[in-house]
Structures are given as structure tokens and as C-alpha cells.
Amino acid sequence: MQQDAIGRSNLSSSSGGQLEGNLNGREGNETRPASFAKNPYEQKPALLKVLVIEDEENIIELIKLGLRYEGFQVEAVSDGQEGLSTAQRISPDIIILDLGLPPGSIDGLEVCRRLRINPTTQDVPVLMLTAKGEVEDRVAGLKTGADDYLTKPFSFEELVARIHAILRRQRRSSDSLQGDGVNEREGQVLQFGDLRLNLTTREVTRTGRLIELTATEYNLLHLFMSHPRQVLDRQTILNKVWGYDFLGETNIIEVYVRYLREKIEDSPSTPRLIQTVRGVGYVLKG
């Protein structure tokens, strides 16, 4: 397990007791979340499913308690291999994955890789938990296919905000495939020079060569190709790709632009397609 001084965490036993006390106190004088219908004959909406793959029992219990109160269905496992089989079985809406799973288990990076190559789980968003301050681990997680990361210790409020932001991005991406006007032109294909993005199959090619992208890389490229030769400032990119209440470090844009350049540019160090507009943001131009 990577460093996780749970005593220092906002999700510590003391704050957990406070959270639990708050929840118990609220149950007496507040209605339950909207997921619980008041009318016994009213059909209850399906709860969003969260799979937690984490080996720290106290963190698991606190996340389960809080997210269930927020109206989520939560299932938790402490082993990477079990996490993969559970993800296949329950088809969660989002996975919270600890990078530092215990020795004897496959680690978080390998779990993420396998999730991304499995047709059943390849599009399930992943929020990765990492040790505080280990930048290379965060970068490795994002590069492997995680959609976002949260460093320990963290607050429960931030965890919930990130989950909602990720799910909102997922819905926007799904809605765009249903047809929103942009998709209807050019046979649902965006093209810029020899770079093509198929909105129906989510396939990206350049000069006929298939380019494998993660979900976030695809969403970022989709944004650029929907606004060719238009300078996009950093806040616009954060809002459109990561969500309006994204709470992460803003250098995540640079990280993902670098990933895209490595995959679509002839010379990533001297990019021709995605160009930096210093002090502003980025622009897709030839």
C-alpha cells in the first residue's frame, strides 16, 4: 500500500465518526436522497453503481457510508483480481481504484490497463486514488487510462464533486453520440487534414492509421476538432473536457495535450497540429 497516513486524512476515523453522526442526525429530520421514492407505488430510479477497489478497510467503510447517503449503490473489494471480475459482473457507472493495492495482488495500474482492454469495462470511468505528492504515479495512472485522480489524504466533499464531474462528462460524451447537430454533418465524421474522428465508432485515424485514445484523450481531441483554427483558452478546455467544477491541478491540460501530441503528431516536440498559444491555451491548425 502506498503512503496513506489515514490519521492525517480528512477521511480519518475521527472525521468518519463525525460524518456518520451527521448522517444519523439528518436521517431523523430530513428526507432521504431523491433516489428513494416517497410513494411506495412510485417506481424508484436505478441507483448509480460505484465500485471501490481499495484495501484500506476504514477508507472503504467511510466511502461506502457517504456515497450510499448520497444516493449511490456501492460495492467494494480489496483485491485487484477480484475488482476486475466484479467490474465485469456488475457493470459499474464509475470505479474508484487505489493505485497502491497490497503485495500479492495486481497493482492499480495493471487493473486499469485490463479494464481498458476489456470490451465490457473499457468505457467505465476510473477515478484513481494515489499517494500524496507522487507526480509520476499520477501521470502513469492518467496515461494508463484513468479519467481523473485524487491524492490522499482527501476530503469526502472533493471525492463526491469529482465523481459528479466525471459522470457529467460521461453523459455529455454519450449525448453527443445520440446526435446533437454536430454529429449529423459529414456522415458523423470530423476531419482536419488527414486526421479523422468518427463520432459513431469513436475511432480516430491519421492517414488511415488507427490511433488508440483513452476516453479523456478522445474528448479533448473532439473538442479541438469541433473548433478548428479557434484558440481555446484553458478555462474553456477545463469546462468542456473535465467539467465545470473540476478541482484538479490545472497542469492536467498540459499532460493530456502532450499525450495527444505523442499519438497524432509526426514530431511531438515540434507539434504542427495542436499548437500552444502562450498565455492563453491551444489551437488546432495545420
PDB file of all heavy atoms in Angstrom, residues 150-179:
ATOM      1  N   LEU A 150      -7.177  11.459  -7.446  1.00  0.00           N
ATOM      2  CA  LEU A 150      -7.372  12.153  -6.184  1.00  0.00           C
ATOM      3  C   LEU A 150      -6.252  11.700  -5.262  1.00  0.00           C
ATOM      4  O   LEU A 150      -6.029  10.500  -5.084  1.00  0.00           O
ATOM      5  CB  LEU A 150      -8.736  11.792  -5.595  1.00  0.00           C
ATOM      6  CG  LEU A 150      -9.249  12.579  -4.390  1.00  0.00           C
ATOM      7  CD1 LEU A 150      -9.297  14.069  -4.699  1.00  0.00           C
ATOM      8  CD2 LEU A 150     -10.626  12.071  -3.990  1.00  0.00           C
ATOM      9  N   THR A 151      -5.512  12.656  -4.711  1.00  0.00           N
ATOM     10  CA  THR A 151      -4.379  12.307  -3.854  1.00  0.00           C
ATOM     11  C   THR A 151      -4.828  12.194  -2.402  1.00  0.00           C
ATOM     12  O   THR A 151      -5.655  12.970  -1.923  1.00  0.00           O
ATOM     13  CB  THR A 151      -3.260  13.352  -3.965  1.00  0.00           C
ATOM     14  OG1 THR A 151      -3.780  14.649  -3.688  1.00  0.00           O
ATOM     15  CG2 THR A 151      -2.647  13.331  -5.343  1.00  0.00           C
ATOM     16  N   LYS A 152      -4.272  11.217  -1.714  1.00  0.00           N
ATOM     17  CA  LYS A 152      -4.549  11.026  -0.285  1.00  0.00           C
ATOM     18  C   LYS A 152      -3.609  11.914   0.535  1.00  0.00           C
ATOM     19  O   LYS A 152      -2.442  12.031   0.177  1.00  0.00           O
ATOM     20  CB  LYS A 152      -4.321   9.563   0.095  1.00  0.00           C
ATOM     21  CG  LYS A 152      -5.195   8.576  -0.657  1.00  0.00           C
ATOM     22  CD  LYS A 152      -4.799   7.162  -0.258  1.00  0.00           C
ATOM     23  CE  LYS A 152      -5.624   6.124  -1.009  1.00  0.00           C
ATOM     24  NZ  LYS A 152      -5.219   4.744  -0.653  1.00  0.00           N
ATOM     25  N   PRO A 153      -4.117  12.464   1.638  1.00  0.00           N
ATOM     26  CA  PRO A 153      -5.491  12.413   2.149  1.00  0.00           C
ATOM     27  C   PRO A 153      -6.411  13.341   1.373  1.00  0.00           C
ATOM     28  O   PRO A 153      -5.964  14.309   0.787  1.00  0.00           O
ATOM     29  CB  PRO A 153      -5.337  12.893   3.598  1.00  0.00           C
ATOM     30  CG  PRO A 153      -4.142  13.787   3.567  1.00  0.00           C
ATOM     31  CD  PRO A 153      -3.202  13.192   2.543  1.00  0.00           C
ATOM     32  N   PHE A 154      -7.711  13.040   1.370  1.00  0.00           N
ATOM     33  CA  PHE A 154      -8.660  13.855   0.618  1.00  0.00           C
ATOM     34  C   PHE A 154      -9.934  14.011   1.431  1.00  0.00           C
ATOM     35  O   PHE A 154     -10.200  13.260   2.372  1.00  0.00           O
ATOM     36  CB  PHE A 154      -8.973  13.209  -0.737  1.00  0.00           C
ATOM     37  CG  PHE A 154      -9.457  11.780  -0.639  1.00  0.00           C
ATOM     38  CD1 PHE A 154     -10.786  11.496  -0.414  1.00  0.00           C
ATOM     39  CD2 PHE A 154      -8.567  10.726  -0.775  1.00  0.00           C
ATOM     40  CE1 PHE A 154     -11.229  10.193  -0.313  1.00  0.00           C
ATOM     41  CE2 PHE A 154      -9.000   9.415  -0.686  1.00  0.00           C
ATOM     42  CZ  PHE A 154     -10.335   9.146  -0.455  1.00  0.00           C
ATOM     43  N   SER A 155     -10.728  15.007   1.068  1.00  0.00           N
ATOM     44  CA  SER A 155     -11.999  15.231   1.755  1.00  0.00           C
ATOM     45  C   SER A 155     -13.106  14.492   1.010  1.00  0.00           C
ATOM     46  O   SER A 155     -13.040  14.307  -0.206  1.00  0.00           O
ATOM     47  CB  SER A 155     -12.332  16.725   1.822  1.00  0.00           C
ATOM     48  OG  SER A 155     -12.677  17.215   0.536  1.00  0.00           O
ATOM     49  N   PHE A 156     -14.133  14.090   1.751  1.00  0.00           N
ATOM     50  CA  PHE A 156     -15.249  13.391   1.130  1.00  0.00           C
ATOM     51  C   PHE A 156     -15.972  14.298   0.138  1.00  0.00           C
ATOM     52  O   PHE A 156     -16.424  13.852  -0.911  1.00  0.00           O
ATOM     53  CB  PHE A 156     -16.228  12.902   2.203  1.00  0.00           C
ATOM     54  CG  PHE A 156     -17.424  12.200   1.631  1.00  0.00           C
ATOM     55  CD1 PHE A 156     -17.302  10.921   1.095  1.00  0.00           C
ATOM     56  CD2 PHE A 156     -18.659  12.818   1.591  1.00  0.00           C
ATOM     57  CE1 PHE A 156     -18.399  10.270   0.544  1.00  0.00           C
ATOM     58  CE2 PHE A 156     -19.758  12.186   1.044  1.00  0.00           C
ATOM     59  CZ  PHE A 156     -19.633  10.905   0.523  1.00  0.00           C
ATOM     60  N   GLU A 157     -16.078  15.597   0.466  1.00  0.00           N
ATOM     61  CA  GLU A 157     -16.755  16.537  -0.431  1.00  0.00           C
ATOM     62  C   GLU A 157     -16.060  16.596  -1.788  1.00  0.00           C
ATOM     63  O   GLU A 157     -16.702  16.661  -2.834  1.00  0.00           O
ATOM     64  CB  GLU A 157     -16.794  17.940   0.192  1.00  0.00           C
ATOM     65  CG  GLU A 157     -17.723  18.058   1.386  1.00  0.00           C
ATOM     66  CD  GLU A 157     -17.133  17.493   2.666  1.00  0.00           C
ATOM     67  OE1 GLU A 157     -15.925  17.125   2.659  1.00  0.00           O
ATOM     68  OE2 GLU A 157     -17.861  17.389   3.658  1.00  0.00           O
ATOM     69  N   GLU A 158     -14.716  16.573  -1.778  1.00  0.00           N
ATOM     70  CA  GLU A 158     -13.987  16.604  -3.040  1.00  0.00           C
ATOM     71  C   GLU A 158     -14.200  15.312  -3.817  1.00  0.00           C
ATOM     72  O   GLU A 158     -14.351  15.331  -5.033  1.00  0.00           O
ATOM     73  CB  GLU A 158     -12.493  16.837  -2.797  1.00  0.00           C
ATOM     74  CG  GLU A 158     -11.694  16.945  -4.085  1.00  0.00           C
ATOM     75  CD  GLU A 158     -10.232  17.255  -3.862  1.00  0.00           C
ATOM     76  OE1 GLU A 158      -9.790  17.282  -2.701  1.00  0.00           O
ATOM     77  OE2 GLU A 158      -9.533  17.471  -4.864  1.00  0.00           O
ATOM     78  N   LEU A 159     -14.226  14.188  -3.104  1.00  0.00           N
ATOM     79  CA  LEU A 159     -14.481  12.907  -3.762  1.00  0.00           C
ATOM     80  C   LEU A 159     -15.826  12.936  -4.480  1.00  0.00           C
ATOM     81  O   LEU A 159     -15.923  12.559  -5.659  1.00  0.00           O
ATOM     82  CB  LEU A 159     -14.462  11.776  -2.729  1.00  0.00           C
ATOM     83  CG  LEU A 159     -14.847  10.379  -3.243  1.00  0.00           C
ATOM     84  CD1 LEU A 159     -13.784   9.835  -4.191  1.00  0.00           C
ATOM     85  CD2 LEU A 159     -15.067   9.420  -2.082  1.00  0.00           C
ATOM     86  N   VAL A 160     -16.867  13.400  -3.811  1.00  0.00           N
ATOM     87  CA  VAL A 160     -18.205  13.449  -4.414  1.00  0.00           C
ATOM     88  C   VAL A 160     -18.221  14.408  -5.608  1.00  0.00           C
ATOM     89  O   VAL A 160     -18.803  14.103  -6.651  1.00  0.00           O
ATOM     90  CB  VAL A 160     -19.253  13.874  -3.362  1.00  0.00           C
ATOM     91  CG1 VAL A 160     -20.609  14.099  -4.026  1.00  0.00           C
ATOM     92  CG2 VAL A 160     -19.381  12.806  -2.291  1.00  0.00           C
ATOM     93  N   ALA A 161     -17.563  15.573  -5.455  1.00  0.00           N
ATOM     94  CA  ALA A 161     -17.532  16.543  -6.549  1.00  0.00           C
ATOM     95  C   ALA A 161     -16.855  15.962  -7.783  1.00  0.00           C
ATOM     96  O   ALA A 161     -17.306  16.158  -8.911  1.00  0.00           O
ATOM     97  CB  ALA A 161     -16.812  17.813  -6.101  1.00  0.00           C
ATOM     98  N   ARG A 162     -15.764  15.238  -7.589  1.00  0.00           N
ATOM     99  CA  ARG A 162     -15.056  14.638  -8.721  1.00  0.00           C
ATOM    100  C   ARG A 162     -15.903  13.555  -9.384  1.00  0.00           C
ATOM    101  O   ARG A 162     -15.929  13.436 -10.617  1.00  0.00           O
ATOM    102  CB  ARG A 162     -13.715  14.071  -8.270  1.00  0.00           C
ATOM    103  CG  ARG A 162     -12.670  15.135  -7.978  1.00  0.00           C
ATOM    104  CD  ARG A 162     -11.389  14.486  -7.470  1.00  0.00           C
ATOM    105  NE  ARG A 162     -10.402  15.489  -7.120  1.00  0.00           N
ATOM    106  CZ  ARG A 162      -9.511  15.995  -7.956  1.00  0.00           C
ATOM    107  NH1 ARG A 162      -9.507  15.604  -9.216  1.00  0.00           N
ATOM    108  NH2 ARG A 162      -8.642  16.890  -7.545  1.00  0.00           N
ATOM    109  N   ILE A 163     -16.588  12.748  -8.574  1.00  0.00           N
ATOM    110  CA  ILE A 163     -17.449  11.709  -9.134  1.00  0.00           C
ATOM    111  C   ILE A 163     -18.524  12.332 -10.016  1.00  0.00           C
ATOM    112  O   ILE A 163     -18.761  11.893 -11.148  1.00  0.00           O
ATOM    113  CB  ILE A 163     -18.088  10.865  -8.009  1.00  0.00           C
ATOM    114  CG1 ILE A 163     -17.022   9.984  -7.347  1.00  0.00           C
ATOM    115  CG2 ILE A 163     -19.229  10.001  -8.552  1.00  0.00           C
ATOM    116  CD1 ILE A 163     -17.523   9.243  -6.122  1.00  0.00           C
ATOM    117  N   HIS A 164     -19.177  13.374  -9.518  1.00  0.00           N
ATOM    118  CA  HIS A 164     -20.233  14.015 -10.303  1.00  0.00           C
ATOM    119  C   HIS A 164     -19.673  14.649 -11.574  1.00  0.00           C
ATOM    120  O   HIS A 164     -20.307  14.604 -12.637  1.00  0.00           O
ATOM    121  CB  HIS A 164     -20.954  15.055  -9.456  1.00  0.00           C
ATOM    122  CG  HIS A 164     -21.919  14.478  -8.470  1.00  0.00           C
ATOM    123  ND1 HIS A 164     -22.960  13.648  -8.849  1.00  0.00           N
ATOM    124  CD2 HIS A 164     -22.007  14.588  -7.117  1.00  0.00           C
ATOM    125  CE1 HIS A 164     -23.652  13.285  -7.780  1.00  0.00           C
ATOM    126  NE2 HIS A 164     -23.092  13.844  -6.716  1.00  0.00           N
ATOM    127  N   ALA A 165     -18.476  15.257 -11.485  1.00  0.00           N
ATOM    128  CA  ALA A 165     -17.869  15.875 -12.673  1.00  0.00           C
ATOM    129  C   ALA A 165     -17.552  14.820 -13.727  1.00  0.00           C
ATOM    130  O   ALA A 165     -17.801  15.016 -14.917  1.00  0.00           O
ATOM    131  CB  ALA A 165     -16.610  16.639 -12.281  1.00  0.00           C
ATOM    132  N   ILE A 166     -17.012  13.679 -13.302  1.00  0.00           N
ATOM    133  CA  ILE A 166     -16.676  12.601 -14.241  1.00  0.00           C
ATOM    134  C   ILE A 166     -17.942  12.052 -14.893  1.00  0.00           C
ATOM    135  O   ILE A 166     -17.998  11.844 -16.114  1.00  0.00           O
ATOM    136  CB  ILE A 166     -15.917  11.474 -13.517  1.00  0.00           C
ATOM    137  CG1 ILE A 166     -14.522  11.944 -13.106  1.00  0.00           C
ATOM    138  CG2 ILE A 166     -15.803  10.237 -14.408  1.00  0.00           C
ATOM    139  CD1 ILE A 166     -13.785  10.962 -12.198  1.00  0.00           C
ATOM    140  N   LEU A 167     -18.982  11.815 -14.097  1.00  0.00           N
ATOM    141  CA  LEU A 167     -20.228  11.272 -14.646  1.00  0.00           C
ATOM    142  C   LEU A 167     -20.896  12.266 -15.587  1.00  0.00           C
ATOM    143  O   LEU A 167     -21.507  11.876 -16.587  1.00  0.00           O
ATOM    144  CB  LEU A 167     -21.178  10.890 -13.510  1.00  0.00           C
ATOM    145  CG  LEU A 167     -20.724   9.707 -12.649  1.00  0.00           C
ATOM    146  CD1 LEU A 167     -21.673   9.496 -11.485  1.00  0.00           C
ATOM    147  CD2 LEU A 167     -20.607   8.433 -13.480  1.00  0.00           C
ATOM    148  N   ARG A 168     -20.768  13.557 -15.279  1.00  0.00           N
ATOM    149  CA  ARG A 168     -21.324  14.573 -16.163  1.00  0.00           C
ATOM    150  C   ARG A 168     -20.604  14.565 -17.510  1.00  0.00           C
ATOM    151  O   ARG A 168     -21.229  14.681 -18.565  1.00  0.00           O
ATOM    152  CB  ARG A 168     -21.215  15.935 -15.493  1.00  0.00           C
ATOM    153  CG  ARG A 168     -22.036  17.015 -16.159  1.00  0.00           C
ATOM    154  CD  ARG A 168     -22.293  18.179 -15.234  1.00  0.00           C
ATOM    155  NE  ARG A 168     -21.106  18.621 -14.540  1.00  0.00           N
ATOM    156  CZ  ARG A 168     -20.911  18.483 -13.220  1.00  0.00           C
ATOM    157  NH1 ARG A 168     -21.817  17.862 -12.480  1.00  0.00           N
ATOM    158  NH2 ARG A 168     -19.815  18.923 -12.656  1.00  0.00           N
ATOM    159  N   ARG A 169     -19.280  14.431 -17.486  1.00  0.00           N
ATOM    160  CA  ARG A 169     -18.525  14.341 -18.742  1.00  0.00           C
ATOM    161  C   ARG A 169     -18.955  13.117 -19.535  1.00  0.00           C
ATOM    162  O   ARG A 169     -19.093  13.168 -20.753  1.00  0.00           O
ATOM    163  CB  ARG A 169     -17.018  14.260 -18.449  1.00  0.00           C
ATOM    164  CG  ARG A 169     -16.443  15.470 -17.779  1.00  0.00           C
ATOM    165  CD  ARG A 169     -14.947  15.527 -17.956  1.00  0.00           C
ATOM    166  NE  ARG A 169     -14.232  14.384 -17.438  1.00  0.00           N
ATOM    167  CZ  ARG A 169     -13.708  14.319 -16.219  1.00  0.00           C
ATOM    168  NH1 ARG A 169     -13.868  15.322 -15.374  1.00  0.00           N
ATOM    169  NH2 ARG A 169     -13.035  13.270 -15.835  1.00  0.00           N
ATOM    170  N   GLN A 170     -19.164  12.014 -18.820  1.00  0.00           N
ATOM    171  CA  GLN A 170     -19.577  10.778 -19.482  1.00  0.00           C
ATOM    172  C   GLN A 170     -20.918  10.954 -20.165  1.00  0.00           C
ATOM    173  O   GLN A 170     -21.120  10.506 -21.298  1.00  0.00           O
ATOM    174  CB  GLN A 170     -19.653   9.648 -18.442  1.00  0.00           C
ATOM    175  CG  GLN A 170     -19.859   8.265 -19.027  1.00  0.00           C
ATOM    176  CD  GLN A 170     -18.550   7.625 -19.419  1.00  0.00           C
ATOM    177  OE1 GLN A 170     -17.535   8.296 -19.517  1.00  0.00           O
ATOM    178  NE2 GLN A 170     -18.564   6.332 -19.644  1.00  0.00           N
ATOM    179  N   ARG A 171     -21.849  11.649 -19.483  1.00  0.00           N
ATOM    180  CA  ARG A 171     -23.165  11.870 -20.077  1.00  0.00           C
ATOM    181  C   ARG A 171     -23.071  12.768 -21.298  1.00  0.00           C
ATOM    182  O   ARG A 171     -23.731  12.529 -22.306  1.00  0.00           O
ATOM    183  CB  ARG A 171     -24.118  12.485 -19.046  1.00  0.00           C
ATOM    184  CG  ARG A 171     -24.642  11.510 -18.016  1.00  0.00           C
ATOM    185  CD  ARG A 171     -25.807  12.102 -17.251  1.00  0.00           C
ATOM    186  NE  ARG A 171     -25.433  13.282 -16.497  1.00  0.00           N
ATOM    187  CZ  ARG A 171     -24.986  13.259 -15.247  1.00  0.00           C
ATOM    188  NH1 ARG A 171     -24.828  12.093 -14.629  1.00  0.00           N
ATOM    189  NH2 ARG A 171     -24.684  14.387 -14.617  1.00  0.00           N
ATOM    190  N   ARG A 172     -22.242  13.820 -21.212  1.00  0.00           N
ATOM    191  CA  ARG A 172     -22.091  14.719 -22.355  1.00  0.00           C
ATOM    192  C   ARG A 172     -21.529  13.973 -23.552  1.00  0.00           C
ATOM    193  O   ARG A 172     -21.955  14.159 -24.684  1.00  0.00           O
ATOM    194  CB  ARG A 172     -21.181  15.892 -21.992  1.00  0.00           C
ATOM    195  CG  ARG A 172     -21.848  16.935 -21.138  1.00  0.00           C
ATOM    196  CD  ARG A 172     -21.145  18.278 -21.288  1.00  0.00           C
ATOM    197  NE  ARG A 172     -19.764  18.226 -20.879  1.00  0.00           N
ATOM    198  CZ  ARG A 172     -19.324  18.565 -19.679  1.00  0.00           C
ATOM    199  NH1 ARG A 172     -20.185  18.954 -18.755  1.00  0.00           N
ATOM    200  NH2 ARG A 172     -18.048  18.519 -19.377  1.00  0.00           N
ATOM    201  N   SER A 173     -20.545  13.110 -23.295  1.00  0.00           N
ATOM    202  CA  SER A 173     -19.944  12.337 -24.378  1.00  0.00           C
ATOM    203  C   SER A 173     -20.967  11.392 -24.993  1.00  0.00           C
ATOM    204  O   SER A 173     -21.077  11.258 -26.208  1.00  0.00           O
ATOM    205  CB  SER A 173     -18.744  11.543 -23.844  1.00  0.00           C
ATOM    206  OG  SER A 173     -18.194  10.737 -24.849  1.00  0.00           O
ATOM    207  N   SER A 174     -21.778  10.755 -24.133  1.00  0.00           N
ATOM    208  CA  SER A 174     -22.805   9.835 -24.616  1.00  0.00           C
ATOM    209  C   SER A 174     -23.870  10.581 -25.397  1.00  0.00           C
ATOM    210  O   SER A 174     -24.326  10.129 -26.452  1.00  0.00           O
ATOM    211  CB  SER A 174     -23.436   9.100 -23.429  1.00  0.00           C
ATOM    212  OG  SER A 174     -24.487   8.272 -23.865  1.00  0.00           O
ATOM    213  N   ASP A 175     -24.277  11.762 -24.887  1.00  0.00           N
ATOM    214  CA  ASP A 175     -25.308  12.543 -25.580  1.00  0.00           C
ATOM    215  C   ASP A 175     -24.833  12.984 -26.956  1.00  0.00           C
ATOM    216  O   ASP A 175     -25.619  13.043 -27.904  1.00  0.00           O
ATOM    217  CB  ASP A 175     -25.678  13.777 -24.753  1.00  0.00           C
ATOM    218  CG  ASP A 175     -26.454  13.418 -23.501  1.00  0.00           C
ATOM    219  OD1 ASP A 175     -26.939  12.270 -23.425  1.00  0.00           O
ATOM    220  OD2 ASP A 175     -26.561  14.267 -22.596  1.00  0.00           O
ATOM    221  N   SER A 176     -23.543  13.283 -27.069  1.00  0.00           N
ATOM    222  CA  SER A 176     -23.027  13.739 -28.363  1.00  0.00           C
ATOM    223  C   SER A 176     -23.130  12.646 -29.410  1.00  0.00           C
ATOM    224  O   SER A 176     -23.283  12.919 -30.597  1.00  0.00           O
ATOM    225  CB  SER A 176     -21.568  14.189 -28.227  1.00  0.00           C
ATOM    226  OG  SER A 176     -20.704  13.087 -28.053  1.00  0.00           O
ATOM    227  N   LEU A 177     -23.081  11.390 -28.973  1.00  0.00           N
ATOM    228  CA  LEU A 177     -23.205  10.278 -29.914  1.00  0.00           C
ATOM    229  C   LEU A 177     -24.649  10.037 -30.323  1.00  0.00           C
ATOM    230  O   LEU A 177     -24.913   9.348 -31.299  1.00  0.00           O
ATOM    231  CB  LEU A 177     -22.633   9.001 -29.281  1.00  0.00           C
ATOM    232  CG  LEU A 177     -21.131   9.028 -29.009  1.00  0.00           C
ATOM    233  CD1 LEU A 177     -20.704   7.718 -28.363  1.00  0.00           C
ATOM    234  CD2 LEU A 177     -20.358   9.263 -30.292  1.00  0.00           C
ATOM    235  N   GLN A 178     -25.601  10.610 -29.554  1.00  0.00           N
ATOM    236  CA  GLN A 178     -27.008  10.434 -29.891  1.00  0.00           C
ATOM    237  C   GLN A 178     -27.436  11.366 -31.016  1.00  0.00           C
ATOM    238  O   GLN A 178     -28.513  11.201 -31.578  1.00  0.00           O
ATOM    239  CB  GLN A 178     -27.874  10.706 -28.651  1.00  0.00           C
ATOM    240  CG  GLN A 178     -27.546   9.829 -27.458  1.00  0.00           C
ATOM    241  CD  GLN A 178     -27.753   8.369 -27.743  1.00  0.00           C
ATOM    242  OE1 GLN A 178     -28.713   8.002 -28.427  1.00  0.00           O
ATOM    243  NE2 GLN A 178     -26.866   7.536 -27.262  1.00  0.00           N
ATOM    244  N   GLY A 179     -26.602  12.373 -31.293  1.00  0.00           N
ATOM    245  CA  GLY A 179     -26.952  13.309 -32.354  1.00  0.00           C
ATOM    246  C   GLY A 179     -27.327  14.652 -31.780  1.00  0.00           C
ATOM    247  O   GLY A 179     -28.381  14.817 -31.183  1.00  0.00           O
TER     248      GLY A 179
END
